[in-house]
Amino acid sequence: MRDYLKSRDFHRHMRSLLASRFRELCWECQTTGKCSFARDGSACWLQVSQYSNGIMGAKFTINMTEGPGPAGDTRILRRLNEADRTIGKALEESIFARLPRPDPDPQVEVVGDNGQTMLVKLGDLARAYPRQWEAPSDIWLPYFSKSDLDDWATFLLPRLERLTAPSSSEKIDPQLWAQQFRRLTRLFRSK
């Protein structure tokens, strides 16, 4: 069984994978202990969902602030083009397929496309969020172990320049995904 990667180790590992590319793009590594970078008054950082566990793993996204206040916050994965989304979706499915599953495969509670909760088998988790990869959805990248992060870094590295370029007025909605994932994890809290 693979070892579940905790948040502190996530940031350390992702920094080791992404820092040299960010430096090539003239971003400076921040010393906050998290995987974050700064350039010309902008900040870019990886955010791990606070709702994670040793069964489902965790998810992360990438945020960028391009000015003072929350009006300048952007989830840069929304900038992925159609080809990127196709590749990302396939990678997500392979990561979900690698999740270690107890026998029998447990059911987990997820929030469906219309906001309703539903139970799906852990092995069907990739199908629980069918619209995540459709534009302009808020994309969160799942991981369980370092090998999953290695795969996401391989996906992200050639796209970082385009993703971190100064943008239009895309806005961040941190509550939407958090609410959905909170419902998903309720199953594990009270059992």
Side-chain angles (χ1 to χ4, degrees), residues 56-108:
M56 293 182 351
K59 291 188 176 198
F60 74 96
T61 194
I62 306 174
N63 300 310
M64 188 166 75
T65 301
E66 297 183 89
D73 287 355
T74 303
R75 297 255 203 219
I76 65 173
L77 295 178
R78 290 178 189 245
R79 298 177 179 179
L80 292 171
N81 63 33
E82 189 174 328
D84 296 336
R85 289 170 184 271
T86 300
I87 295 165
K89 183 177 184 346
L91 180 54
E92 176 187 64
E93 289 172 356
S94 74
I95 288 171
F96 279 140
R98 295 189 309 233
L99 275 175
R101 285 192 288 279
D103 189 21
D105 195 4
Q107 288 191 323
V108 292

Side-chain angles (χ1 to χ4, degrees), residues 13-79:
H13 189 66
M14 288 304 283
R15 180 188 290 263
S16 74
L17 297 172
L18 301 177
S20 64
R21 180 65 178 136
F22 270 101
R23 279 193 294 274
E24 288 172 9
L25 298 171
C26 299
W27 290 83
E28 295 179 24
C29 290
Q30 299 297 288
T31 58
T32 62
K34 300 208 175 199
C35 189
S36 61
F37 308 90
R39 174 180 74 184
D40 300 329
S42 295
C44 188
W45 71 98
L46 279 65
Q47 176 185 349
V48 177
S49 169
Q50 63 184 4
Y51 303 103
S52 59
N53 60 53
I55 294 176
M56 293 182 351
K59 291 188 176 198
F60 74 96
T61 194
I62 306 174
N63 300 310
M64 188 166 75
T65 301
E66 297 183 89
D73 287 355
T74 303
R75 297 255 203 219
I76 65 173
L77 295 178
R78 290 178 189 245
R79 298 177 179 179

Side-chain angles (χ1 to χ4, degrees), residues 64 66 72-74 76 79 162-170:
M64 188 166 75
E66 297 183 89
D73 287 355
T74 303
I76 65 173
R79 298 177 179 179
R162 179 171 35 93
L163 294 174
T164 60
S167 76
S168 60
S169 60
E170 297 166 337

Side-chain angles (χ1 to χ4, degrees), residues 111-137:
V111 178
D113 288 333
N114 298 321
Q116 80 285 6
T117 57
M118 60 185 186
L119 290 175
V120 297
K121 293 241 183 229
L122 184 60
D124 294 331
L125 201 53
R127 289 187 285 266
Y129 306 105
R131 295 190 179 145
Q132 169 168 279
W133 291 96
E134 295 174 10
S137 295

